Amino acid sequence: MSEPPPKASYGPVLRKYRPRVADAELNDRLARSGAVLIEGPRACGKTVTARQIAASSVMLDAEPSARRAAAVDPGFLLEGKNPRLIDEWQLVPEVWNQVRHAVDERPGRGHFILTGSAVPPDDITRHTGAGRIGRLRLRPMSLFELERSTGAVSLMRLLAGDPVPSLAAKLSVRQLADFVCVGGWPGHLGSSEEDPPLSVEDAMAENRDYLGEVCRTDIRRVDGSDRDPARVGRFLQSLGRNVATCASMSTLARDTGGPDRHLTNHTARSYMTALERLMIVEDQPPWAPHLRSRSRLRTAARRHFTDPSLAVAALSATPEHLLSDFEWFGFLFESMVVRDLRVYARASGADVYHYRDNTGLEVDAVVDAGPGQWAAFEIKLGASRVDEAAKALLKLADRVDTDRCGKPAALGVIVGSGYGYARPDGVGVIPVGGLGV
């Protein structure tokens, strides 16, 4: 994937399709699987990405007649040139088994692409796709895909042991606030002179409408449960206030219920499960390496929306709010960087975790692609805390049993703006405007 030039303002270079990091993975999976399922939250670009390679398609959310025909004969949906795109497949769950059987019967690979923005509540049939239907998780766009980052610091190369190169990637604090509030939603970008990009204000209004639909209809449709939209909204607000923290379910329940009405942990968990099925939230699991020391690992996950702009939208905040509350801004910046690391990590077959133990040592992100291919990052909005962050990273590297986990391929502090370089202690400083796949 070619490296786009850096952009100094919000307005992007307009084009019909903006390449995604996941494009290469989609091609690879089609080459080795009979079908590929692209999963991700609504509006993250699944359909447009799939259409770049599909030879025919059926849009189940936009074509009621196709759904009616499928109710009589689900196999009807499979008729067309390959690869055949079946968009929002979960609206006709029976098509899953139809695809599975067709993959078994047809020679070759790459027959179907399925997309879905919600996981059906009864997912028993989904397990039968093992070995036949590959899975690809698509997330909102990273800063590199949005052409806000040069990509000069490649996560793939860091995992291979390359040092951080010297570079400059200067973004203003206001630009970073705008990026957090707008998010990585492709629909905000525009596609032509007749369809220009949304302003920051309009994009934020769209994000608020998006969450409004989640509260009113999406969360009810995902499992059929009748939920109070206002209470779902308060739960989303609580998640927004606790973004990038290890807030417990009881904390979220108390915060949602307020002083007069109690929300049980069971109800709070049901909200979280529904939001996970919609892929609106995506917690960051803890890393569990082998340690040299007797430190005990903490097992709580960090709370994240799939895009930090949804945390902003849940609280009806603006860039001005972020600029007046740098503590919360720092958590949102961390969540944005975790989103980007997740996008880049997929290209290396890696996952993104966090580290926390009983001594109080915390590291914001650990990208793990297997023994000897792991890297740890602290994420700091401002450059004034680089020394403190580097000390935490070196302490983590000293605690990990490198005989079993391998030495870290990279240790880095990801900052909001400035210069990238390798420190004498081996820790790299990486401006987010230079980070890429």
Side-chain angles (χ1 to χ4, degrees):
M1 187 174 182
S2 59
E3 294 180 353
K7 286 291 179 179
S9 60
Y10 176 67
V13 175
L14 300 179
R15 62 183 64 177
K16 289 185 177 180
Y17 179 68
R18 195 178 295 258
R20 308 292 295 268
V21 172
D23 291 341
E25 182 181 358
L26 176 57
N27 279 283
D28 290 345
R29 287 187 175 276
L30 281 171
R32 66 176 186 261
S33 300
V36 176
L37 169 62
I38 305 177
E39 295 182 303
R42 179 165 53 85
C44 74
K46 300 180 299 298
T47 303
V48 176
T49 295
R51 275 182 158 173
Q52 304 312 302
I53 195 170
S56 66
S57 62
V58 58
M59 307 294 156
L60 293 179
D61 61 338
E63 301 177 26
S65 60
R67 296 199 299 274
R68 288 193 293 270
V72 178
D73 178 15
F76 156 79
L77 300 177
L78 279 56
E79 298 175 6
K81 293 183 179 180
N82 295 337
R84 169 78 162 167
L85 167 60
I86 304 174
D87 191 51
E88 298 296 348
W89 76 272
Q90 77 280 355
L91 296 177
V92 184
E94 297 80 6
V95 77
W96 182 267
N97 280 333
Q98 295 288 329
V99 167
R100 179 175 64 87
H101 290 304
V103 167
D104 286 341
E105 293 169 359
R106 298 182 185 183
R109 297 176 176 85
H111 300 296
F112 303 103
I113 305 172
L114 286 73
T115 68
S117 56
V119 178
D122 181 7
D123 62 354
I124 296 174
T125 59
R126 303 174 74 243
H127 299 307
T128 62
R132 304 173 179 90
I133 304 176
R135 295 175 187 274
L136 187 158
R137 180 68 178 264
L138 192 67
R139 297 177 173 88
M141 299 174 79
S142 64
L143 292 184
F144 176 72
E145 293 167 311
L146 291 166
E147 301 184 5
R148 305 292 179 248
S149 169
T150 65
V153 182
S154 161
L155 179 62
M156 188 178 295
R157 291 198 294 268
L158 291 178
L159 288 170
D162 290 0
V164 173
S166 298
L167 73 150
K170 296 185 177 181
L171 296 169
S172 70
V173 175
R174 175 64 194 221
Q175 282 179 305
L176 291 170
D178 286 351
F179 296 164
V180 167
C181 291
V182 169
W185 306 102
H188 296 343
L189 298 178
S191 58
S192 65
E193 292 184 1
E194 292 75 25
D195 177 29
L198 296 181
S199 66
V200 173
E201 292 74 19
D202 287 345
M204 289 190 298
E206 287 289 311
N207 294 342
R208 291 192 294 271
D209 289 345
Y210 182 109
L211 281 191
E213 286 301 307
V214 169
C215 295
R216 285 189 297 273
T217 60
D218 290 356
I219 198 168
R220 181 180 301 176
R221 187 170 60 241
V222 77
D223 61 5
S225 298
D226 189 14
R227 295 185 175 89
D228 179 4
R231 185 167 283 196
V232 175
R234 290 197 298 273
F235 186 77
L236 291 168
Q237 290 173 354
S238 180
L239 283 171
R241 284 188 286 269
N242 290 284
V243 69
T245 73
C246 294
S248 66
M249 196 60 65
S250 58
T251 296
L252 298 175
R254 285 196 305 272
D255 195 23
T256 302
D260 301 324
R261 299 187 66 184
H262 181 62
L263 186 70
T264 67
N265 285 2
H266 174 76
T267 301
R269 286 193 191 93
S270 74
Y271 288 179
M272 184 67 79
T273 298
L275 293 170
E276 288 171 346
R277 286 177 174 164
L278 289 168
M279 289 164 276
I280 297 299
V281 297
E282 186 177 7
D283 286 350
Q284 185 183 1
W287 194 45
H290 297 284
L291 301 179
R292 293 193 182 100
S293 69
R294 295 183 179 179
S295 302
R296 295 187 303 277
L297 299 173
R298 301 303 191 194
T299 59
R302 280 192 179 179
R303 307 296 183 185
H304 292 281
F305 285 88
T306 192
D307 191 284
S309 63
L310 297 181
V312 175
L315 293 162
S316 298
T318 65
E320 286 71 26
H321 286 108
L322 274 61
L323 296 173
S324 64
D325 184 352
F326 268 84
E327 182 178 7
W328 188 46
F329 189 2
F331 285 120
L332 290 166
F333 175 72
E334 178 183 333
S335 192
M336 181 178 72
V337 173
V338 169
R339 176 202 68 193
D340 287 6
L341 286 173
R342 282 170 163 158
V343 172
Y344 308 148
R346 284 203 65 99
S348 298
D351 293 307
V352 180
Y353 304 90
H354 77 96
Y355 178 90
R356 185 178 178 221
D357 65 30
N358 67 312
T359 70
L361 178 61
E362 296 189 42
V363 170
D364 296 326
V366 178
V367 179
D368 190 351
Q373 282 193 297
W374 62 274
F377 302 96
E378 279 280 81
I379 302 168
K380 304 299 178 187
L381 178 59
S384 62
R385 298 178 65 188
V386 166
D387 288 342
E388 169 194 345
K391 188 179 297 184
L393 291 166
L394 292 168
K395 189 178 291 186
L396 170 64
D398 186 59
R399 289 189 183 177
V400 171
D401 185 346
T402 54
D403 290 337
R404 305 174 82 174
C405 299
K407 294 181 179 180
L411 301 173
V413 184
I414 302 172
V415 296
S417 185
Y419 295 94
Y421 57 94
R423 291 163 47 106
D425 57 13
V427 176
V429 178
I430 306 166
V432 72
L435 186 62
V437 66

